[in-house]
Amino acid sequence: MFKKIRFQMIAVIAIVSIVIFGVLNIAIENKLNELRVHERNFYGEITRARADELSKELQGHLNKVHMIAHTDFLESMDVEAILPYLSSLLNHSDFKGMTIALPDGRAWTTYGASIDIREQEQFTNIFVRNKLYSISNPFFSPYFYENVPIITLSYAIQRESTTIGLLNAVLTTTFMETIISDIHFDSYGYAWIVDGNGRIVAHPDPEININEDYTDVIKEIDVQPFSSSQGFFNYLGYNNEKMLAVYSPIHNTNDWKLVISVQESQAFSQLNAVMTYINWAVILSLLSLISFSFIYANSLTKPIIKLTEVFARAEKGDLSVVADSKVQNELGVAGQGFNRMLNEIKNLTFVDPVTQVANYRSYLLDAQRLTLEHPDKQYYVIVLSIDDFKKINSMGGYGFGNETLKQFAELLNSSLYAYELVARYFGDEMILFLHAENEEVIRLRIQRLLAMTQRPFKIMDIEIHLSLSCGFACHDKLHEIETTIHNATLAKLKAKKLGGNLAVFYEDGIQQEIKKEQDIESELFKAIEKKELYPVYQPIVNLNTMEISGFETLLRWNHPTFYQESIQTIITIAENNSQIIEIGRYILNEAILELKRLNQKNPDLVLALNVSALQLKDTHFITFLKNRIKVIGVKPENLCIELTESTAMDDVEVKLMDLHQIKAIGCKIAIDDFGTGYSSLAYLSRFPIDHIKIDKSFVHKMMNDEPTRQLVSSMITLAHNLKLLVVAEGVETQEQIDLLKHFGCDMIQGYVISKPKRMEEHNI
Ligand code: C2E
Ligand code: CA
Ligand code: CA
């Protein structure tokens, strides 16, 4: 729109300028025309003055002839006496000769000739037309050998108003030539004389013959020249120059006119110079007006246009635009305001308010930009998640959690090189965009990062250690950045599943792995409803009596595809999404129902039940357990709760309370997978436990490995010292039975006795 305005402004100014120029030009032209008239008048004055001069001169000569003609002596018309008188007069005058004539045409000259003048002009004028005088056109006379044209001045000789004779005086045209050759204007102007018939009377150019037509001088003319007694006209001369002719009458002649011819260009040269000067001045001022208006229009509209362009780009979502704020006017102020507003929007749009680093939206845009700007660089997407962030939040509330995230983000930010990014992904997850030559280098950088974050952070005077699950993926430029982010996220998920505090590089298999896990997860949700989950039982045998003392309850999933999947994997998935709580309750209920049936046959049989850490954390677990035992009606001491060593030893004080609550119900407690974790003896002695279950890996290994054998022996001795019974798991051979018996182990469980089976398959 402002482009249009700018164009319109410039167009209007240009049009106005041209109009002004036109009007000015017309005004100047008018003024100049006036000046031209003045100039022409000036030549007119000269012409008139000179024509008058000529008239006077001629009049003078004519007067002389008049005076002579009116003397009594001449009125006598005594030719014989008059001729010598006239000859004597010649010596004192300009006349070259005189002639006296009678009305019959006979004439006598001072140079002694008798002639007949009836054919001559003056005869007609004076005797026929009864004029008082007659002046001839110049002509060459055969009687005068000087090669100059002559004119004749004739006067009537009258007696009592009757013409009785004629006096004629011959005059050379020298006097006229003197006058006209006196009138010159350098080389561009001259004077000449023309008679009433347009024949040349005198001309300074010897080439031009007298008595010729004026067309010898004038090549082209579009008006009838000499149409009035005085005036001017323009014509084209024989040298093709434009001429101005100004003419004025010479009185007492045969309608002679003195003409002054001047070259127009020269005549008006000064005026033309002024005109040119004025034209240039006007053109230059117009040009400067137009350029000034262009610059002004530009200076006015350009910032507006720029500003609107910036607005338009910002509207399309390009928040990297900056408005020109340096313009020294209101537009500059508008630009500043816009930039401030944009910064604010950018902050709101692109900066994560908690960590003060970029947000994910900004990350996406910048990562795409960096990929384009640095095609030579190999980029990697790294997703970092703080392990157990909920715990950090629960330590000191959300403020504490946020402060942790902020410091974590600062640390990541400080580790960046040029053209790298850090952003908050979501929740406790941060995302990096790093470049490195190869996978090796990026692995090293990530390891360093993980090491750095393990150093203590001081958050609100509390020191905490962060552990990270990190997934990273190589960014293939041919793929969308989102694809790489997705891959890195899958890798991070795997790192989480593997227990955290780990960096996992995305490989093609991960996709399938994760997919499978997701399938398992969604299938597992339907499993209880579909009654696909069921318990199996594996007997636990007393080593002394070799009689079944009880069973361990183990979960099985009758699923068309996932039935072969290890139940440990399924339990881990269920633990990750908390499904284990519901599954655990289901199995617990089934197991207690089974225990009821078992005890009806043999009231001493004990049923062991695996309880995972997550189940234990469930605040309703104890109530549920208590309720089931009571409602179904079993002896609590016939139920043994198995907790893995790592479950028991994590957050000992809390676990101690849980265990006491279980103990308070009357259930037995076993520490499962004993030997794989790091049990502190001190805690072990404080725990209200009944059994330890030696992990099957020791049982398997002890046959061929002396130290393991020693270890198993020590574990049994230690347990007995603490008044605990020992169960050996995974016993598969008679040799193992024998050795365990030798070590004094109390009970065994394993394939050597029976695989886990449905209760109805056991012969009980
Ligand atoms: P666990 O509690 O240590 O269970 C013993 C595992 O050893 C069982 O594997 C059992 O089938 C296997 N086993 C028994 N005898 C032998 C043997 O002679 N040789 C070998 N190689 N293995 C033997 P399973 O049933 O696959 O269970 C794996 C783990 O899954 C269990 O380890 C337990 O931690 C967990 N689990 C199973 N059922 C449940 C459940 O209902 N709730 C919870 N929370 N965890 C369960
Ligand atoms: Ca177990
Ligand atoms: Ca075990």
PDB file of all heavy atoms in Angstrom, residues 241-268:
ATOM      1  N   GLU A 241      19.833  30.669 -44.064  1.00  0.00           N
ATOM      2  CA  GLU A 241      19.730  31.197 -42.713  1.00  0.00           C
ATOM      3  C   GLU A 241      18.374  31.867 -42.563  1.00  0.00           C
ATOM      4  O   GLU A 241      17.841  32.421 -43.530  1.00  0.00           O
ATOM      5  CB  GLU A 241      20.881  32.169 -42.393  1.00  0.00           C
ATOM      6  CG  GLU A 241      20.861  33.466 -43.158  1.00  0.00           C
ATOM      7  CD  GLU A 241      21.517  33.359 -44.531  1.00  0.00           C
ATOM      8  OE1 GLU A 241      21.479  32.259 -45.112  1.00  0.00           O
ATOM      9  OE2 GLU A 241      22.033  34.377 -45.026  1.00  0.00           O
ATOM     10  N   LYS A 242      17.838  31.740 -41.354  1.00  0.00           N
ATOM     11  CA  LYS A 242      16.548  32.388 -41.088  1.00  0.00           C
ATOM     12  C   LYS A 242      16.807  33.863 -40.881  1.00  0.00           C
ATOM     13  O   LYS A 242      17.666  34.231 -40.070  1.00  0.00           O
ATOM     14  CB  LYS A 242      15.924  31.791 -39.828  1.00  0.00           C
ATOM     15  CG  LYS A 242      15.285  30.448 -40.060  1.00  0.00           C
ATOM     16  CD  LYS A 242      14.609  29.995 -38.769  1.00  0.00           C
ATOM     17  CE  LYS A 242      13.717  28.812 -38.998  1.00  0.00           C
ATOM     18  NZ  LYS A 242      13.139  28.352 -37.736  1.00  0.00           N
ATOM     19  N   MET A 243      16.079  34.663 -41.623  1.00  0.00           N
ATOM     20  CA  MET A 243      16.324  36.100 -41.570  1.00  0.00           C
ATOM     21  C   MET A 243      15.079  36.830 -41.101  1.00  0.00           C
ATOM     22  O   MET A 243      13.954  36.398 -41.331  1.00  0.00           O
ATOM     23  CB  MET A 243      16.701  36.629 -42.968  1.00  0.00           C
ATOM     24  CG  MET A 243      17.922  35.949 -43.606  1.00  0.00           C
ATOM     25  SD  MET A 243      19.460  36.207 -42.706  1.00  0.00           S
ATOM     26  CE  MET A 243      19.811  37.907 -43.149  1.00  0.00           C
ATOM     27  N   LEU A 244      15.345  37.964 -40.464  1.00  0.00           N
ATOM     28  CA  LEU A 244      14.263  38.876 -40.112  1.00  0.00           C
ATOM     29  C   LEU A 244      14.472  40.138 -40.952  1.00  0.00           C
ATOM     30  O   LEU A 244      15.589  40.666 -40.988  1.00  0.00           O
ATOM     31  CB  LEU A 244      14.330  39.224 -38.620  1.00  0.00           C
ATOM     32  CG  LEU A 244      13.496  40.423 -38.178  1.00  0.00           C
ATOM     33  CD1 LEU A 244      12.004  40.119 -38.222  1.00  0.00           C
ATOM     34  CD2 LEU A 244      13.882  40.852 -36.755  1.00  0.00           C
ATOM     35  N   ALA A 245      13.394  40.531 -41.629  1.00  0.00           N
ATOM     36  CA  ALA A 245      13.519  41.761 -42.423  1.00  0.00           C
ATOM     37  C   ALA A 245      12.580  42.816 -41.838  1.00  0.00           C
ATOM     38  O   ALA A 245      11.419  42.526 -41.566  1.00  0.00           O
ATOM     39  CB  ALA A 245      13.155  41.480 -43.864  1.00  0.00           C
ATOM     40  N   VAL A 246      13.116  43.992 -41.603  1.00  0.00           N
ATOM     41  CA  VAL A 246      12.304  45.108 -41.102  1.00  0.00           C
ATOM     42  C   VAL A 246      12.403  46.224 -42.147  1.00  0.00           C
ATOM     43  O   VAL A 246      13.510  46.549 -42.608  1.00  0.00           O
ATOM     44  CB  VAL A 246      12.839  45.593 -39.742  1.00  0.00           C
ATOM     45  CG1 VAL A 246      11.929  46.659 -39.178  1.00  0.00           C
ATOM     46  CG2 VAL A 246      12.943  44.427 -38.769  1.00  0.00           C
ATOM     47  N   TYR A 247      11.277  46.760 -42.576  1.00  0.00           N
ATOM     48  CA  TYR A 247      11.371  47.754 -43.643  1.00  0.00           C
ATOM     49  C   TYR A 247      10.580  49.021 -43.307  1.00  0.00           C
ATOM     50  O   TYR A 247       9.638  48.993 -42.510  1.00  0.00           O
ATOM     51  CB  TYR A 247      10.916  47.165 -44.979  1.00  0.00           C
ATOM     52  CG  TYR A 247       9.496  46.642 -44.980  1.00  0.00           C
ATOM     53  CD1 TYR A 247       8.432  47.457 -45.383  1.00  0.00           C
ATOM     54  CD2 TYR A 247       9.223  45.326 -44.594  1.00  0.00           C
ATOM     55  CE1 TYR A 247       7.136  46.995 -45.395  1.00  0.00           C
ATOM     56  CE2 TYR A 247       7.926  44.856 -44.607  1.00  0.00           C
ATOM     57  CZ  TYR A 247       6.874  45.692 -44.996  1.00  0.00           C
ATOM     58  OH  TYR A 247       5.590  45.218 -44.993  1.00  0.00           O
ATOM     59  N   SER A 248      11.004  50.066 -43.934  1.00  0.00           N
ATOM     60  CA  SER A 248      10.399  51.378 -43.678  1.00  0.00           C
ATOM     61  C   SER A 248      10.435  52.188 -44.994  1.00  0.00           C
ATOM     62  O   SER A 248      11.375  52.018 -45.800  1.00  0.00           O
ATOM     63  CB  SER A 248      11.236  52.072 -42.608  1.00  0.00           C
ATOM     64  OG  SER A 248      10.459  52.958 -41.881  1.00  0.00           O
ATOM     65  N   PRO A 249       9.467  53.038 -45.251  1.00  0.00           N
ATOM     66  CA  PRO A 249       9.410  53.734 -46.560  1.00  0.00           C
ATOM     67  C   PRO A 249      10.447  54.838 -46.712  1.00  0.00           C
ATOM     68  O   PRO A 249      10.827  55.481 -45.725  1.00  0.00           O
ATOM     69  CB  PRO A 249       8.005  54.321 -46.566  1.00  0.00           C
ATOM     70  CG  PRO A 249       7.653  54.489 -45.120  1.00  0.00           C
ATOM     71  CD  PRO A 249       8.354  53.428 -44.372  1.00  0.00           C
ATOM     72  N   ILE A 250      10.933  55.007 -47.897  1.00  0.00           N
ATOM     73  CA  ILE A 250      11.779  56.168 -48.233  1.00  0.00           C
ATOM     74  C   ILE A 250      10.866  57.119 -49.022  1.00  0.00           C
ATOM     75  O   ILE A 250      10.330  56.731 -50.086  1.00  0.00           O
ATOM     76  CB  ILE A 250      12.991  55.749 -49.085  1.00  0.00           C
ATOM     77  CG1 ILE A 250      13.822  54.681 -48.331  1.00  0.00           C
ATOM     78  CG2 ILE A 250      13.870  56.963 -49.418  1.00  0.00           C
ATOM     79  CD1 ILE A 250      14.878  54.038 -49.182  1.00  0.00           C
ATOM     80  N   HIS A 251      10.608  58.228 -48.424  1.00  0.00           N
ATOM     81  CA  HIS A 251       9.606  59.137 -49.021  1.00  0.00           C
ATOM     82  C   HIS A 251      10.097  59.768 -50.309  1.00  0.00           C
ATOM     83  O   HIS A 251      11.288  59.793 -50.601  1.00  0.00           O
ATOM     84  CB  HIS A 251       9.238  60.217 -47.993  1.00  0.00           C
ATOM     85  CG  HIS A 251       8.716  59.625 -46.729  1.00  0.00           C
ATOM     86  ND1 HIS A 251       7.498  58.973 -46.652  1.00  0.00           N
ATOM     87  CD2 HIS A 251       9.269  59.525 -45.488  1.00  0.00           C
ATOM     88  CE1 HIS A 251       7.328  58.528 -45.446  1.00  0.00           C
ATOM     89  NE2 HIS A 251       8.410  58.831 -44.701  1.00  0.00           N
ATOM     90  N   ASN A 252       9.172  60.276 -51.038  1.00  0.00           N
ATOM     91  CA  ASN A 252       9.421  60.989 -52.302  1.00  0.00           C
ATOM     92  C   ASN A 252       9.981  60.083 -53.374  1.00  0.00           C
ATOM     93  O   ASN A 252      10.559  60.554 -54.360  1.00  0.00           O
ATOM     94  CB  ASN A 252      10.375  62.164 -52.103  1.00  0.00           C
ATOM     95  CG  ASN A 252       9.864  63.131 -51.046  1.00  0.00           C
ATOM     96  OD1 ASN A 252       8.656  63.388 -50.964  1.00  0.00           O
ATOM     97  ND2 ASN A 252      10.752  63.606 -50.209  1.00  0.00           N
ATOM     98  N   THR A 253       9.852  58.825 -53.160  1.00  0.00           N
ATOM     99  CA  THR A 253      10.403  57.900 -54.155  1.00  0.00           C
ATOM    100  C   THR A 253       9.257  57.111 -54.757  1.00  0.00           C
ATOM    101  O   THR A 253       8.104  57.241 -54.335  1.00  0.00           O
ATOM    102  CB  THR A 253      11.388  56.916 -53.521  1.00  0.00           C
ATOM    103  OG1 THR A 253      10.678  56.198 -52.515  1.00  0.00           O
ATOM    104  CG2 THR A 253      12.576  57.619 -52.936  1.00  0.00           C
ATOM    105  N   ASN A 254       9.660  56.237 -55.635  1.00  0.00           N
ATOM    106  CA  ASN A 254       8.694  55.366 -56.277  1.00  0.00           C
ATOM    107  C   ASN A 254       8.386  54.190 -55.327  1.00  0.00           C
ATOM    108  O   ASN A 254       8.680  53.038 -55.631  1.00  0.00           O
ATOM    109  CB  ASN A 254       9.320  54.877 -57.592  1.00  0.00           C
ATOM    110  CG  ASN A 254       8.325  54.084 -58.425  1.00  0.00           C
ATOM    111  OD1 ASN A 254       7.119  54.153 -58.187  1.00  0.00           O
ATOM    112  ND2 ASN A 254       8.857  53.338 -59.384  1.00  0.00           N
ATOM    113  N   ASP A 255       7.870  54.606 -54.130  1.00  0.00           N
ATOM    114  CA  ASP A 255       7.498  53.599 -53.114  1.00  0.00           C
ATOM    115  C   ASP A 255       8.688  52.745 -52.675  1.00  0.00           C
ATOM    116  O   ASP A 255       8.570  51.550 -52.461  1.00  0.00           O
ATOM    117  CB  ASP A 255       6.366  52.700 -53.664  1.00  0.00           C
ATOM    118  CG  ASP A 255       5.504  52.151 -52.545  1.00  0.00           C
ATOM    119  OD1 ASP A 255       5.756  52.529 -51.359  1.00  0.00           O
ATOM    120  OD2 ASP A 255       4.619  51.319 -52.823  1.00  0.00           O
ATOM    121  N   TRP A 256       9.863  53.357 -52.578  1.00  0.00           N
ATOM    122  CA  TRP A 256      11.045  52.618 -52.123  1.00  0.00           C
ATOM    123  C   TRP A 256      10.937  52.307 -50.636  1.00  0.00           C
ATOM    124  O   TRP A 256      10.342  53.065 -49.889  1.00  0.00           O
ATOM    125  CB  TRP A 256      12.321  53.437 -52.351  1.00  0.00           C
ATOM    126  CG  TRP A 256      12.712  53.591 -53.788  1.00  0.00           C
ATOM    127  CD1 TRP A 256      12.043  53.187 -54.887  1.00  0.00           C
ATOM    128  CD2 TRP A 256      13.886  54.257 -54.215  1.00  0.00           C
ATOM    129  NE1 TRP A 256      12.695  53.531 -56.037  1.00  0.00           N
ATOM    130  CE2 TRP A 256      13.859  54.194 -55.645  1.00  0.00           C
ATOM    131  CE3 TRP A 256      14.967  54.892 -53.609  1.00  0.00           C
ATOM    132  CZ2 TRP A 256      14.879  54.767 -56.428  1.00  0.00           C
ATOM    133  CZ3 TRP A 256      15.952  55.445 -54.381  1.00  0.00           C
ATOM    134  CH2 TRP A 256      15.920  55.367 -55.780  1.00  0.00           C
ATOM    135  N   LYS A 257      11.577  51.197 -50.330  1.00  0.00           N
ATOM    136  CA  LYS A 257      11.611  50.829 -48.901  1.00  0.00           C
ATOM    137  C   LYS A 257      13.034  50.464 -48.528  1.00  0.00           C
ATOM    138  O   LYS A 257      13.715  49.749 -49.263  1.00  0.00           O
ATOM    139  CB  LYS A 257      10.715  49.618 -48.622  1.00  0.00           C
ATOM    140  CG  LYS A 257       9.257  50.028 -48.519  1.00  0.00           C
ATOM    141  CD  LYS A 257       8.324  48.938 -48.917  1.00  0.00           C
ATOM    142  CE  LYS A 257       6.912  49.466 -48.975  1.00  0.00           C
ATOM    143  NZ  LYS A 257       6.279  49.134 -50.253  1.00  0.00           N
ATOM    144  N   LEU A 258      13.416  50.997 -47.380  1.00  0.00           N
ATOM    145  CA  LEU A 258      14.721  50.570 -46.848  1.00  0.00           C
ATOM    146  C   LEU A 258      14.455  49.304 -46.017  1.00  0.00           C
ATOM    147  O   LEU A 258      13.557  49.273 -45.174  1.00  0.00           O
ATOM    148  CB  LEU A 258      15.328  51.657 -45.959  1.00  0.00           C
ATOM    149  CG  LEU A 258      16.630  51.250 -45.281  1.00  0.00           C
ATOM    150  CD1 LEU A 258      17.764  51.135 -46.296  1.00  0.00           C
ATOM    151  CD2 LEU A 258      17.013  52.228 -44.188  1.00  0.00           C
ATOM    152  N   VAL A 259      15.208  48.258 -46.343  1.00  0.00           N
ATOM    153  CA  VAL A 259      15.014  46.979 -45.632  1.00  0.00           C
ATOM    154  C   VAL A 259      16.277  46.678 -44.832  1.00  0.00           C
ATOM    155  O   VAL A 259      17.386  46.825 -45.335  1.00  0.00           O
ATOM    156  CB  VAL A 259      14.779  45.821 -46.619  1.00  0.00           C
ATOM    157  CG1 VAL A 259      14.319  44.572 -45.877  1.00  0.00           C
ATOM    158  CG2 VAL A 259      13.782  46.211 -47.691  1.00  0.00           C
ATOM    159  N   ILE A 260      16.055  46.320 -43.606  1.00  0.00           N
ATOM    160  CA  ILE A 260      17.211  45.828 -42.833  1.00  0.00           C
ATOM    161  C   ILE A 260      16.981  44.336 -42.617  1.00  0.00           C
ATOM    162  O   ILE A 260      15.940  43.912 -42.094  1.00  0.00           O
ATOM    163  CB  ILE A 260      17.360  46.565 -41.500  1.00  0.00           C
ATOM    164  CG1 ILE A 260      17.923  47.967 -41.771  1.00  0.00           C
ATOM    165  CG2 ILE A 260      18.262  45.800 -40.547  1.00  0.00           C
ATOM    166  CD1 ILE A 260      18.095  48.824 -40.555  1.00  0.00           C
ATOM    167  N   SER A 261      17.938  43.533 -43.108  1.00  0.00           N
ATOM    168  CA  SER A 261      17.863  42.076 -42.920  1.00  0.00           C
ATOM    169  C   SER A 261      18.867  41.646 -41.864  1.00  0.00           C
ATOM    170  O   SER A 261      20.044  41.983 -41.977  1.00  0.00           O
ATOM    171  CB  SER A 261      18.207  41.354 -44.226  1.00  0.00           C
ATOM    172  OG  SER A 261      17.134  41.465 -45.121  1.00  0.00           O
ATOM    173  N   VAL A 262      18.361  40.928 -40.867  1.00  0.00           N
ATOM    174  CA  VAL A 262      19.297  40.386 -39.848  1.00  0.00           C
ATOM    175  C   VAL A 262      19.006  38.903 -39.639  1.00  0.00           C
ATOM    176  O   VAL A 262      17.856  38.467 -39.743  1.00  0.00           O
ATOM    177  CB  VAL A 262      19.188  41.125 -38.487  1.00  0.00           C
ATOM    178  CG1 VAL A 262      19.888  42.467 -38.531  1.00  0.00           C
ATOM    179  CG2 VAL A 262      17.739  41.308 -38.079  1.00  0.00           C
ATOM    180  N   GLN A 263      20.075  38.178 -39.363  1.00  0.00           N
ATOM    181  CA  GLN A 263      19.872  36.747 -39.048  1.00  0.00           C
ATOM    182  C   GLN A 263      19.107  36.652 -37.736  1.00  0.00           C
ATOM    183  O   GLN A 263      19.498  37.268 -36.747  1.00  0.00           O
ATOM    184  CB  GLN A 263      21.215  36.043 -38.880  1.00  0.00           C
ATOM    185  CG  GLN A 263      21.864  35.681 -40.195  1.00  0.00           C
ATOM    186  CD  GLN A 263      23.217  35.027 -39.957  1.00  0.00           C
ATOM    187  OE1 GLN A 263      23.428  34.422 -38.926  1.00  0.00           O
ATOM    188  NE2 GLN A 263      24.104  35.188 -40.919  1.00  0.00           N
ATOM    189  N   GLU A 264      18.048  35.871 -37.800  1.00  0.00           N
ATOM    190  CA  GLU A 264      17.213  35.770 -36.583  1.00  0.00           C
ATOM    191  C   GLU A 264      18.015  35.314 -35.377  1.00  0.00           C
ATOM    192  O   GLU A 264      17.928  35.880 -34.303  1.00  0.00           O
ATOM    193  CB  GLU A 264      16.082  34.781 -36.822  1.00  0.00           C
ATOM    194  CG  GLU A 264      14.825  35.422 -37.302  1.00  0.00           C
ATOM    195  CD  GLU A 264      13.682  34.445 -37.296  1.00  0.00           C
ATOM    196  OE1 GLU A 264      13.434  33.805 -36.245  1.00  0.00           O
ATOM    197  OE2 GLU A 264      13.036  34.305 -38.354  1.00  0.00           O
ATOM    198  N   SER A 265      18.827  34.296 -35.631  1.00  0.00           N
ATOM    199  CA  SER A 265      19.583  33.736 -34.505  1.00  0.00           C
ATOM    200  C   SER A 265      20.447  34.805 -33.864  1.00  0.00           C
ATOM    201  O   SER A 265      20.607  34.847 -32.653  1.00  0.00           O
ATOM    202  CB  SER A 265      20.427  32.554 -34.971  1.00  0.00           C
ATOM    203  OG  SER A 265      21.329  33.001 -35.955  1.00  0.00           O
ATOM    204  N   GLN A 266      20.973  35.663 -34.703  1.00  0.00           N
ATOM    205  CA  GLN A 266      21.857  36.701 -34.171  1.00  0.00           C
ATOM    206  C   GLN A 266      21.039  37.837 -33.572  1.00  0.00           C
ATOM    207  O   GLN A 266      21.382  38.371 -32.530  1.00  0.00           O
ATOM    208  CB  GLN A 266      22.762  37.231 -35.280  1.00  0.00           C
ATOM    209  CG  GLN A 266      23.751  36.211 -35.781  1.00  0.00           C
ATOM    210  CD  GLN A 266      24.713  35.799 -34.679  1.00  0.00           C
ATOM    211  OE1 GLN A 266      25.178  36.645 -33.914  1.00  0.00           O
ATOM    212  NE2 GLN A 266      24.993  34.517 -34.588  1.00  0.00           N
ATOM    213  N   ALA A 267      19.963  38.148 -34.302  1.00  0.00           N
ATOM    214  CA  ALA A 267      19.153  39.257 -33.825  1.00  0.00           C
ATOM    215  C   ALA A 267      18.654  38.980 -32.411  1.00  0.00           C
ATOM    216  O   ALA A 267      18.644  39.856 -31.566  1.00  0.00           O
ATOM    217  CB  ALA A 267      17.968  39.458 -34.752  1.00  0.00           C
ATOM    218  N   PHE A 268      18.272  37.701 -32.230  1.00  0.00           N
ATOM    219  CA  PHE A 268      17.731  37.373 -30.908  1.00  0.00           C
ATOM    220  C   PHE A 268      18.736  36.566 -30.073  1.00  0.00           C
ATOM    221  O   PHE A 268      18.349  35.867 -29.158  1.00  0.00           O
ATOM    222  CB  PHE A 268      16.430  36.574 -31.063  1.00  0.00           C
ATOM    223  CG  PHE A 268      15.386  37.309 -31.861  1.00  0.00           C
ATOM    224  CD1 PHE A 268      14.848  36.775 -33.017  1.00  0.00           C
ATOM    225  CD2 PHE A 268      14.959  38.574 -31.446  1.00  0.00           C
ATOM    226  CE1 PHE A 268      13.884  37.457 -33.737  1.00  0.00           C
ATOM    227  CE2 PHE A 268      13.993  39.258 -32.176  1.00  0.00           C
ATOM    228  CZ  PHE A 268      13.454  38.714 -33.326  1.00  0.00           C
TER     229      PHE A 268
END
